[in-house]
Amino acid sequence: MGSSIMLNGQDPAAFTAEASSRLNHYFQVDTERQSFIHNILEKLEANAKKINELELDLADQKRSRAEYQSKAMTLEKDQRMFAQQVDKDSFVVVLIDGDGAKFADEFLRDPVGGAEKAAIRLKQAVRENIRDTGTSHDDIPILVRVYANLSDLSKSLRLSRVIDYDEDMRLFAERFTNSRAEFDFVNVGKGKENADSKIRRMLNHYYRNIQCKKIFLAGCCHDNGYLHDLREYTGSIGDKLVLLETTPAEPAFRSLGFPILRFNDVFRAEPLGNETKHNVLPPIAPRSRSPIQQQQQHQQQQQPFGPGPIARPQPIQKPTTTIPPPQEPRQSSTPIPTSTPVSMTTSSPIQPSSTPEQIPGQPPRTNSVISSGNGGTSISYATAGGVNDLQNVTVKAPKPKKQPKVIFYNLDNYRIDSPTQHPPRTPAQASYQAKFQAIKPSVFCNDFYLKGRCKWGISCDKTHDAELTGPELAIHRYKARTSLCPAGPYCVDYDCYLSHHCPRAPCTRGDMCPFYDTDKWGDLHLTKDQLQPSTKWTEGIDLPEHLT
């Protein structure tokens, strides 16, 4: 009939569309709910795994903490025991360079009782200092080590009239050593660096020893010899190292930052009269001496200090030929006038002033004057062969006086070499190179050619038999000067032919130069100020000459 069918008062098509729309909405909601639930389940599973891992880590941490706590307790116990042991066996050391720090005159002049008094006074002074600084307990042991060249020290003290005899210093050292079991006075023998090297080694040893609570260093501030060594100990925590000033310290030591003390009642505060060229020894009133010392002094005064005047025959006044004396007079402890000429007669017999026993029938014989070997004039008076009563006078030409060898040091106690220059371009360059190639694989022995002697002799594995001319030796010496001395800037060998700092001025080799950043002494390229000499040592003289 044309009319539409109604469902519950609604159009069936509209109802179907609405129902389909709602169904799709429910499907979407269900999908979202399922996705949400799925994500929650995944997160729960991941969290469960993480919780399980954390529980395992927690259990492991608990076990580790228990182990570490046990170990920490054990270590703390060991540390306490170790600290107690260190404190129990701790000590204080006093290192004394006896050549620089001299005990007070009152002790040295009484070597028997003075050594005991010096030991007691030194120990009391150190004890008072460590008590004031709270270093340790009152009964801490104090070790004392004195290093000195007793022979030269005794001589210096005697010449300065501090002691009467060299044996007094040796007796003082012996009594000082025996005064305490922990006190030693060590005789290092002759050698400029003997005492210094021992002090440096002992200082390094005790500084690294944790049982050594404090180090007192005496006799090292009077010159800059120890300055570089002490710089290694700057910046350390605490005042473990203390410098003892005897004679006035050099200004550079005060800039290091170490405490500097003075024990004026123990050590001599002024240098000896023969230790510096600036001080003049004032006259000292003679001290009373025992009869034995007076007798020994009288015997020494009776003995001549050197050869006396030579008795010469007195010639009869005749026309003579005068020979002038040599330009350099003979040096002796007994002065010989140089203004009296040596005369010889031509035809008159000589009446000797003192003659040996003479054989009858033989012409008189007179004394001979023997050359001393020091460049003086040698005169021989003898009977001319075959002609009686005639005298010959033989005058030797004076030998050139050998100049003593010297070494210069700067303010830092570094050895300063004399300037060197490259040998000129001469045929000697080619001849030297040819000889050098001819002896390969051997080389020229430096000691033999540059010192004139080789301690190995015929056992030396280097060449000795090649002849080098003067210009060739100059080339070889220059080559040697390009090498660094094993002793570095502290070399004391007067015959050393190597270099102790870079010989080139200026040096253009940079870090390729063997004197750049050395392992032991750092950079050995000295500045103009560092090349200025401060101290001069002369071979055969025990004390240096201060130039500045």
Side-chain angles (χ1 to χ4, degrees):
M1 289 184 41
S3 59
S4 59
I5 301 175
M6 302 296 292
L7 182 61
N8 295 328
Q10 292 183 354
D11 186 11
F15 179 80
T16 302
E18 182 181 358
S20 177
S21 175
R22 289 185 177 182
L23 180 62
N24 291 334
H25 174 70
Y26 293 150
F27 282 155
Q28 183 178 0
V29 171
D30 288 341
T31 301
E32 292 177 354
R33 182 175 65 250
Q34 289 178 357
S35 176
F36 176 73
I37 295 174
H38 181 73
N39 291 336
I40 291 177
L41 292 176
E42 287 182 348
K43 289 182 178 180
L44 288 175
E45 184 178 1
N47 290 336
K49 291 181 179 180
K50 189 172 183 180
I51 291 172
N52 186 37
E53 292 176 357
L54 291 175
E55 288 177 346
L56 293 176
D57 290 342
L58 177 61
D60 183 65
Q61 291 297 325
K62 288 181 178 180
R63 287 193 300 270
S64 299
R65 185 180 63 180
E67 293 177 359
Y68 289 137
Q69 287 178 341
S70 176
K71 291 180 179 179
M73 294 176 62
T74 302
L75 291 175
E76 288 177 358
K77 181 180 178 180
D78 293 343
Q79 190 271 338
R80 287 193 298 269
M81 293 179 59
F82 181 74
Q84 292 175 357
Q85 189 68 25
V86 169
D87 291 338
K88 178 182 177 182
D89 297 331
S90 61
F91 61 92
V92 172
V93 66
V94 182
L95 299 177
I96 303 175
D97 185 342
D99 297 327
K102 285 86 173 174
F103 286 96
D105 294 359
E106 59 180 292
F107 302 134
L108 297 176
R109 287 170 178 167
D110 180 18
V112 178
E116 176 74 18
K117 294 178 182 178
I120 295 175
R121 195 79 59 85
L122 176 60
K123 190 171 183 178
Q124 290 175 345
V126 173
R127 183 81 63 194
E128 291 175 1
N129 178 264
I130 62 177
R131 186 184 298 116
D132 295 340
T133 56
T135 299
S136 188
H137 44 83
D138 290 339
D139 58 346
I140 184 172
I142 299 175
L143 309 183
V144 178
R145 301 289 183 266
V146 186
Y147 301 98
N149 176 3
L150 274 184
S151 177
D152 290 347
L153 179 59
S154 303
K155 180 180 178 182
S156 297
L157 292 171
R158 176 172 53 80
L159 293 177
S160 298
R161 290 173 282 185
V162 176
I163 60 177
D164 295 323
Y165 304 100
D166 291 358
E167 189 62 27
D168 291 346
M169 186 62 228
R170 299 184 183 276
L171 181 58
F172 178 90
E174 178 181 336
R175 292 301 181 115
F176 185 87
T177 299
N178 294 328
S179 65
R180 298 287 186 278
E182 62 272 16
F183 282 30
D184 287 320
F185 200 118
V186 182
N187 179 17
V188 299
K190 285 188 174 294
K192 177 179 178 292
E193 293 291 331
N194 288 358
D196 296 0
S197 62
K198 288 186 178 293
I199 291 287
R200 292 186 181 101
R201 183 61 62 88
M202 290 296 100
L203 174 60
N204 181 69
H205 168 72
Y206 287 121
Y207 195 87
R208 298 176 185 277
N209 190 332
I210 60 174
Q211 292 178 303
C212 181
K213 297 301 182 181
K214 192 174 281 289
I215 303 173
F216 293 86
L217 188 61
C220 303
C221 301
H222 62 287
D223 60 38
N224 293 323
Y226 291 93
L227 190 60
H228 287 282
D229 301 279
L230 293 179
R231 283 174 178 162
E232 298 179 5
Y233 306 102
T234 57
S236 57
I237 301 176
D239 295 331
K240 184 172 183 177
L241 180 59
V242 177
L243 303 182
L244 293 182
E245 180 185 36
T246 55
T247 55
E250 292 290 330
F253 285 92
R254 302 189 182 278
S255 64
L256 297 178
F258 297 113
I260 299 180
L261 305 178
R262 292 184 71 92
F263 291 168
N264 290 331
D265 56 346
V266 179
F267 298 105
R268 201 176 202 274
E270 297 295 333
L272 296 176
N274 61 347
E275 284 186 325
T276 171
K277 65 179 182 180
H278 303 294
N279 291 355
V280 178
L281 186 66
I284 301 178
R287 302 192 303 272
S288 59
R289 306 193 178 195
S290 65
I292 296 178
Q293 292 175 334
Q294 292 177 358
Q295 181 180 0
Q296 291 176 348
Q297 182 185 16
H298 177 71
Q299 292 176 354
Q300 292 176 355
Q301 291 175 349
Q302 295 298 323
Q303 297 177 357
F305 289 97
I310 301 172
R312 292 189 175 90
Q314 301 297 326
I316 299 175
Q317 297 297 329
K318 295 289 183 179
T320 60
T321 302
T322 301
I323 301 176
Q327 295 297 325
E328 295 184 3
R330 174 179 178 269
Q331 297 183 2
S332 172
S333 58
T334 302
I336 298 177
T338 59
S339 60
T340 303
V342 178
S343 301
M344 69 176 183
T345 62
T346 56
S347 60
S348 298
I350 296 177
Q351 303 297 329
S353 60
S354 63
T355 60
E357 297 181 1
Q358 300 186 12
I359 302 174
Q362 296 293 332
R365 299 178 61 86
T366 60
N367 294 335
S368 297
V369 181
I370 306 301
S371 172
S372 63
N374 63 354
T377 303
S378 174
I379 304 176
S380 175
Y381 295 87
T383 302
V387 181
N388 291 333
D389 298 335
L390 294 180
Q391 302 293 324
N392 292 337
V393 177
T394 303
V395 180
K396 290 184 179 179
K399 297 180 180 178
K401 187 176 181 180
K402 185 178 180 181
Q403 295 295 328
K405 300 172 184 175
V406 297
I407 299 178
F408 292 96
Y409 294 89
N410 63 12
L411 286 174
D412 295 329
N413 209 30
Y414 274 23
R415 178 168 175 168
I416 302 177
D417 298 326
S418 58
T420 183
Q421 58 181 0
H422 195 284
R425 298 293 180 182
T426 63
Q429 295 277 1
S431 60
Y432 173 82
Q433 191 63 26
K435 294 178 181 179
F436 181 76
Q437 295 293 333
I439 64 171
K440 281 189 174 182
S442 180
V443 294
F444 297 120
C445 177
N446 287 336
D447 284 355
F448 179 79
Y449 286 100
L450 301 181
K451 284 188 176 181
R453 60 189 182 278
C454 175
K455 63 180 181 180
W456 302 109
I458 60 175
S459 301
C460 182
D461 58 350
K462 300 179 177 62
T463 296
H464 289 188
D465 53 1
E467 294 185 3
L468 296 180
T469 64
E472 291 170 348
L473 278 176
I475 297 172
H476 188 68
R477 185 176 300 276
Y478 176 81
K479 289 173 63 69
R481 281 290 302 274
T482 60
S483 300
L484 174 62
C485 175
Y490 300 113
C491 175
V492 296
D493 183 4
Y494 285 95
D495 294 321
C496 185
Y497 43 77
L498 303 174
S499 283
H500 309 91
H501 56 81
C502 183
R504 301 175 180 87
C507 179
T508 58
R509 301 189 63 185
D511 56 2
M512 297 299 294
C513 180
F515 299 88
Y516 175 83
D517 194 19
T518 62
D519 293 336
K520 295 183 179 180
W521 307 287
D523 190 7
L524 291 180
H525 289 81
L526 303 186
T527 64
K528 184 177 180 180
D529 291 339
Q530 290 176 317
L531 290 174
Q532 297 301 317
S534 173
T535 307
K536 174 183 176 182
W537 285 85
T538 304
E539 188 177 24
I541 300 179
D542 295 334
L543 297 175
E545 178 183 353
H546 299 283
L547 305 178
T548 57

